[in-house]
Amino acid sequence: DAGVIQSPRHEVTEMGQEVTLRCKPISGHDYLFWYRQTMMRGLELLIYFNNNVPIDDSGMPEDRFSAKMPNASFSTLKIQPSEPRDSAVYFCASRPGTGGSNQPQHFGDGTRLSIL
Amino acid sequence: AQSVTQLGSHVSVSEGALVLLRCNYSSSVPPYLFWYVQYPNQGLQLLLKYTSAATLVKGINGFEAEFKKSETSFHLTKPSAHMSDAAEYFCAVSEVFGNEKLTFGTGTRLTIIP
C-alpha cells in the first residue's frame, strides 16, 4: 500500500519567495495533519483537516502560512513570503476517520525546507 | 490539557543491553498513548499504541511498553538492543474524547554502542 506521499523532499529557496509543499494522504483516510519539526521547538502541529475541512489551525504561526485541501487526495501548505526562520522539516500525516483517536497517524517522509 | 514528558533527550546503551526510554503523561483521564520511531531523513513510524485493552503492549522490532496508571507512565523497553535501534523515539498522547490532536514529547535520541 502506498503511504503518505510528500513533495518535494527538499526545497531550497530565497527569502521572500513563495513556497508550496504538497501532500497526498493514504487513500480512505479522513484526517490529514501538517506538522513542522525543528531542533528548537520539536514537532509542532500546524493544522489538521477532517473530510477536507480545516478543523484546527491554531498552530499556524502567522498569516504567511496557509493550507488547503481541495479534495480527499491532495493538500498543500503554502508560505508566502518565506523567511529564514521557516526553515524546518514539514511533515504530513493522515489517519482513518473510523475508530476514533486511538487510530495511529501515518507520516510521510517530510519536506526539508531551507530558506536562504 | 494533555501533555507528555520524556525524561532524557539522549540515551546510550551497549549492543545487547536493555533499552529503557521513559515517558510520563498528564491527562485528566487515561488517554491513548503511542510510541513512534524516527530514523534519519524519514517520517515517524508507529512502534506501538495503548488503547486500554491491555496494560502491556507489544510492538514491532521487539519493543514493548507498559501502561501504569498509578505512575502515569508509559515507558518503552526492549530486552536486547540492536545497532539498528539507533533512532529518535517519540511518545505521544491523544484524548479518548475530544479533539483529534496528538501531543508529542520532545523525543529521545537512542545511541547504540558497539
Side-chain angles (χ1 to χ4, degrees):
Chain A
D1 290 342
V4 175
I5 300 172
Q6 291 186 246
S7 64
R9 287 297 314 276
H10 303 273
E11 175 87 11
V12 181
T13 191
E14 292 187 346
M15 182 175 65
Q17 296 298 306
E18 178 179 290
V19 173
T20 300
L21 310 181
R22 297 172 175 79
C23 175
K24 177 179 170 56
I26 293 173
S27 177
H29 283 192
D30 295 333
Y31 285 89
L32 184 140
F33 304 82
W34 281 101
Y35 292 89
R36 178 172 68 176
Q37 186 178 38
T38 61
M39 290 292 291
M40 292 296 294
R41 301 175 68 91
L43 201 59
E44 305 173 275
L45 176 66
L46 301 177
I47 186 172
Y48 77 92
F49 296 82
N50 180 25
N51 291 321
N52 314 336
V53 177
I55 303 300
D56 186 343
D57 65 355
S58 60
M60 297 285 263
E62 354 181 336
D63 291 345
R64 298 184 296 105
F65 285 71
S66 63
K68 295 182 179 180
M69 192 164 185
N71 57 62
S73 59
F74 184 65
S75 178
T76 59
L77 179 67
K78 187 172 294 187
I79 309 172
Q80 167 63 18
S82 58
E83 297 183 4
R85 59 194 168 118
D86 302 330
S87 298
V89 182
Y90 291 81
F91 288 103
C92 177
S94 70
R95 75 160 178 83
T98 55
S101 56
N102 66 348
Q103 292 298 313
Q105 295 180 17
H106 299 257
F107 284 75
D109 283 336
T111 295
R112 184 173 296 275
L113 178 63
S114 296
I115 309 297
L116 306 177
Chain B
Q2 59 193 16
S3 65
V4 288
T5 302
Q6 292 185 240
L7 293 176
S9 58
H10 291 85
V11 170
S12 296
V13 301
S14 296
E15 189 175 15
L18 171 72
V19 175
L20 171 60
L21 304 182
R22 300 178 187 273
C23 173
N24 288 87
Y25 69 90
S26 173
S27 178
S28 56
V29 296
Y32 297 132
L33 292 157
F34 305 81
W35 274 101
Y36 284 84
V37 60
Q38 184 179 28
Y39 299 102
N41 299 315
Q42 294 186 24
L44 281 70
Q45 301 174 31
L46 180 70
L47 272 179
L48 49 80
K49 67 177 182 179
Y50 167 75
T51 59
S52 77
T55 56
L56 183 62
V57 182
K58 295 187 183 299
I60 62 171
N61 302 338
F63 284 92
E64 62 182 36
E66 185 172 9
F67 173 75
K68 292 187 177 180
K69 183 179 176 181
S70 60
E71 299 177 7
T72 61
S73 69
F74 190 57
H75 302 331
L76 182 71
T77 60
K78 181 174 181 177
S80 177
H82 190 273
M83 295 300 295
S84 61
D85 295 327
E88 186 139 21
Y89 292 79
F90 292 90
C91 183
V93 61
S94 73
E95 293 181 2
V96 175
F97 303 105
N99 67 55
E100 306 295 337
K101 295 180 183 180
L102 267 183
T103 301
F104 285 89
T106 51
T108 297
R109 184 169 298 278
L110 177 64
T111 300
I112 310 299
I113 303 167

